[in-house]
């Protein structure tokens, strides 16, 4: 049965089963939390291992691409996994994404050079796109928005736990075994997730004709990839005015325009543009984009500063990230409880956006003499701001759409958060690499500076270098980190504007199976 929405035929709202008991929901949540831990733990483990990885394989200037390849693949795959879940059922699709993720993990651990590692990380990212959006959409299927804050608070707790345990585990494995175990460790955890999900996750099956918008997915992939390459290569690999960079810019614009045109003419769009009629949905998506920008930047560049400038080991740098993760953990749990009890979320978004921008600015002031205590306090500020935003924005997104679009809406939010991370790491990585090269050239000369910047130099090797070269490298890294966080703070100011745009709309208390009217267009 179909209905006409916006001039297009769409599947009518399906019939759903009776509301689940808390015990049933918590049982399903156990599998989701393991899978979410799998996806989040990987980024955190790799973060503290990254200085050793790029030093061993060569190419410190290409550090951002190990993260960018993962984030870019996740961004491209996210809407596809979301649509597959909408059309074919979430459980099977969710488990398939875990399998792809595990394949990518095993291959990444076997990488012999930077090119292989970047490619295998992309495979990991494809699987990760399904993990993130699948978990959020499944929660949306089971729990009405008014009660969702409590359960999403649990999911939010997984993130700081992964952020705490990941760096510690990554540092321990790097120091005591090999950085390759930062990838191999995913395999037993992934198998456990598959077993738990298979036996505990019982979801209502919605039978719908499977029609995937491959044209839209391809155009979206081209647009995102072109923009990411532009921000990553501009000013480093190629001059900003070169035909390569200009061509990427033109390709990104053309692909975006054609994508919008195509999505308005397909029955099952990969990204339903009707969703953006809601002011709250659009503003919340912008917030997720900016939060991803800040989160990926912090996780990528803080270990560089801690290990190279402050002299921490990989294990110690994991411990030094605890203030950031602790701030996120406390405010994520607190925010979820406040939303559940009061139904109010707008003030949390406004406070979180201000605090996040302030935390990024404080991190941009770190220098060669900054103590670990001072940098820890700065990280707490950033963590508090991000904790208020991470899950609350997803709640606003899901409360702004109908049940049938839950997967697509969750996918859109996850997509834009990942795009924010991908563009953030590539753009900030470009700024970091440019400043690093420029600073080393000024201090050591063009030949020596280029050799140090592009050579195989792990944090462990740094102590063996002559003092002038070591100090020059530490100064260059400090300046690069300062530049990256300062620009991240400038971008984060837009989050404040987006938070004020969001209106306080009552959270639905009825089961999501009851058809809801999407929030009207603001005038």
């Amino acid at each position: 049965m179909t209905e006409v929405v916006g001039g297009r035929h769409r599947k009518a709202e399906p019939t759903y089963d009776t509301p689940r008991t808390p015990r049933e929901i918590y049982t399903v949540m156990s599998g989701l939390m393991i899978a979410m831990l799998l996806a989040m733990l990987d980024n955190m483990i790799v973060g503290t291992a990254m200085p050793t990885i790029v030093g061993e394989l060569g190419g410190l200037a290409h550090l951002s691409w190990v993260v960018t390849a993962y984030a870019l693949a996740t961004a491209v795959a996210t809407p596809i996994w979301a649509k597959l879940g909408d059309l074919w059922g979430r459980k099977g699709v969710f488990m398939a994404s875990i399998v792809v993720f595990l394949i990518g993990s095993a291959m990444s651990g076997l990488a012999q050079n930077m090119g292989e590692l970047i490619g295998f990380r992309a495979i990991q990212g494809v699987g990760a796109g399904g993990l993130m959006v699948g978990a959020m959409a499944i929660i949306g299927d089971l729990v009405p928005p008014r009660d969702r804050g409590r359960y999403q608070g649990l999911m939010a707790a997984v993130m700081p736990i992964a952020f705490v345990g990941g760096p510690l585990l990554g540092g321990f494995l790097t120091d005591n075994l090999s950085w390759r175990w930062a990838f191999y460790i995913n395999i037993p955890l992934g198998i456990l997730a598959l077993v738990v999900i298979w036996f505990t996750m019982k979801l209502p099956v919605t039978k719908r004709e499977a029609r995937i918008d491959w044209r839209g997915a391809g155009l979206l992939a081209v647009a995102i990839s072109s923009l990411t390459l532009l921000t990553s290569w501009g000013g480093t690999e190629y001059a900003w005015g070169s035909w390569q960079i200009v061509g990427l810019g033109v390709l990104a614009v053309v692909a975006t325009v054609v994508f919008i045109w195509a999505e308005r003419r397909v029955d099952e769009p990969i990204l339903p543009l009707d969703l953006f009629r809601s002011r709250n949905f659009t503003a919340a998506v912008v917030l997720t984009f900016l939060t991803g920008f800040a989160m990926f930047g912090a996780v990528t560049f803080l270990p560089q500063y801690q290990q190279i400038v402050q002299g921490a080991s990989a294990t110690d740098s994991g411990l030094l990230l605890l203030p950031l993760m602790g701030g996120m953990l406390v405010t994520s749990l607190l925010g979820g409880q406040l939303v559940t009890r009061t139904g109010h979320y707008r003030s949390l978004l406004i406070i979180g956006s201000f605090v996040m921008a302030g935390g990024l600015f404080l991190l941009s002031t770190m220098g060669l003499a900054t103590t670990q205590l001072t940098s820890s306090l700065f990280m707490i500020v950033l963590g508090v701001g991000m904790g208020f935003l991470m899950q609350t924005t997803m709640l606003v997104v899901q409360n702004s759409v109908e049940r049938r679009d839950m997967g697509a809406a969750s996918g859109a939010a996850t997509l834009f958060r990942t795009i924010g991370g991908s563009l953030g790491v590539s753009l900030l990585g470009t700024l970091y690499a440019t400043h690093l090269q420029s600073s080393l050239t000024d201090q050591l000369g063009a030949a020596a500076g280029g050799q140090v910047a592009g050579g195989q130099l792990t944090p462990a090797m740094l102590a063996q270098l002559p003092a002038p070269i070591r100090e020059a490298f530490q100064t260059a890294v400090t300046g690069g980190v300062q530049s990256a966080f300062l620009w991240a703070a400038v971008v984060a100011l837009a989050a404040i504007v987006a938070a004020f745009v969001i209106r306080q709309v009552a959270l639905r208390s009825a089961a999501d199976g009851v058809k809801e009217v999407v929030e009207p267009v603001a005038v």
Side-chain angles (χ1 to χ4, degrees), residues 413-464:
T414 307
L415 167 68
F416 280 93
R417 178 178 296 170
T418 308
I419 293 175
S422 178
L423 293 180
V425 172
S426 63
L427 184 58
L428 297 179
T430 297
L431 293 170
Y432 174 82
T434 300
H435 192 284
L436 183 75
Q437 181 69 60
S438 175
S439 178
L440 288 173
T441 299
D442 291 341
Q443 296 180 80
L444 304 176
Q451 184 177 4
V452 173
Q456 294 180 304
L457 180 63
T458 66
M461 299 176 185
L462 187 63
Q464 303 173 8

Side-chain angles (χ1 to χ4, degrees), residues 118-476:
I118 291 172
F120 296 152
R121 284 283 285 168
I123 296 176
Q124 258 193 309
V126 170
L131 296 181
M132 302 293 287
V133 69
M136 291 302 176
I138 289 170
I139 295 176
D141 276 347
L142 297 176
V143 186
R146 181 59 190 266
D147 299 327
R148 204 171 292 155
R150 179 187 303 115
Y151 300 104
Q152 286 192 338
L154 291 175
M155 298 300 290
V158 173
M159 185 177 297
I161 290 172
F163 278 19
V164 171
L168 291 174
L169 185 57
F172 175 82
L173 292 173
T174 302
D175 286 339
N176 295 280
L177 294 174
S178 165
W179 61 263
R180 299 181 186 279
W181 279 96
F183 300 103
Y184 295 150
I185 195 67
N186 293 327
I187 297 174
L189 186 61
I191 293 174
L192 176 61
L194 287 171
V195 172
V196 173
I197 290 169
W198 176 262
F199 286 105
T200 66
M201 187 176 293
K202 308 296 182 184
L203 298 175
V205 178
T206 303
K207 295 182 178 180
R208 300 179 62 185
E209 181 183 351
R211 288 181 292 178
I212 307 298
D213 178 22
W214 294 112
R215 180 177 62 178
L219 289 168
L220 183 62
V222 171
I224 297 174
S225 300
S226 301
L227 188 58
T228 302
L229 290 173
L230 185 152
T231 56
S232 180
W233 287 349
T236 54
E237 298 289 334
Y238 305 101
W240 284 107
S242 66
W243 69 266
Q244 292 93 340
I245 298 302
V246 173
L248 285 171
V250 172
L251 182 60
V253 172
V254 171
T256 301
V257 171
V258 177
F259 171 77
I260 294 173
W261 174 86
E263 293 300 272
R264 294 186 179 278
R265 288 161 175 79
V266 66
D267 289 338
E268 294 284 355
I270 199 73
L271 180 61
L273 300 181
D274 292 343
L275 299 177
F276 291 91
R277 291 183 176 183
S278 166
R279 184 172 81 174
N280 272 14
F281 176 87
T282 303
V285 164
V286 171
L287 269 175
T288 64
F289 174 91
L290 296 170
T291 305
F293 193 102
M295 179 178 68
F296 276 82
V299 172
T300 301
F301 295 106
L302 277 173
Q304 291 291 314
Y305 175 80
Q306 293 163 342
Q307 294 182 35
I308 294 174
V309 179
Q310 294 184 328
S313 66
T315 302
D316 290 340
S317 72
L319 289 170
L320 291 173
L321 288 176
L322 288 177
L324 174 66
M325 312 316 169
M328 288 184 62
L329 174 61
V330 171
T331 51
S332 292
L333 293 174
L334 178 62
Q337 291 297 320
L338 287 174
V339 172
T340 297
R341 292 180 181 179
T342 67
H344 293 284
Y345 50 81
R346 185 171 182 265
S347 59
L348 297 182
L349 297 175
I350 294 173
I351 294 172
S353 59
F354 269 107
V355 177
M356 182 178 74
L360 289 169
F361 174 75
L362 290 174
L363 289 172
S364 73
T365 65
M366 296 187 303
L368 289 170
T370 301
T371 65
Q372 293 179 353
L373 175 61
T374 301
S375 60
S376 296
L377 293 175
F378 295 166
M379 283 187 277
I380 290 176
V381 176
L382 177 60
V384 167
M386 289 167 54
F388 276 131
L389 295 175
M390 294 296 291
Q391 298 303 317
T392 310
T393 50
M394 181 64 75
L395 179 65
V396 175
V397 164
Q398 293 181 340
N399 191 59
S400 302
V401 302
E402 299 177 38
R403 170 77 177 259
R404 66 179 165 219
D405 290 322
M406 191 68 68
S410 302
T414 307
L415 167 68
F416 280 93
R417 178 178 296 170
T418 308
I419 293 175
S422 178
L423 293 180
V425 172
S426 63
L427 184 58
L428 297 179
T430 297
L431 293 170
Y432 174 82
T434 300
H435 192 284
L436 183 75
Q437 181 69 60
S438 175
S439 178
L440 288 173
T441 299
D442 291 341
Q443 296 180 80
L444 304 176
Q451 184 177 4
V452 173
Q456 294 180 304
L457 180 63
T458 66
M461 299 176 185
L462 187 63
Q464 303 173 8
L465 293 176
I469 296 179
R470 182 175 65 250
E471 292 171 1
F473 191 68
Q474 291 175 329
T475 299

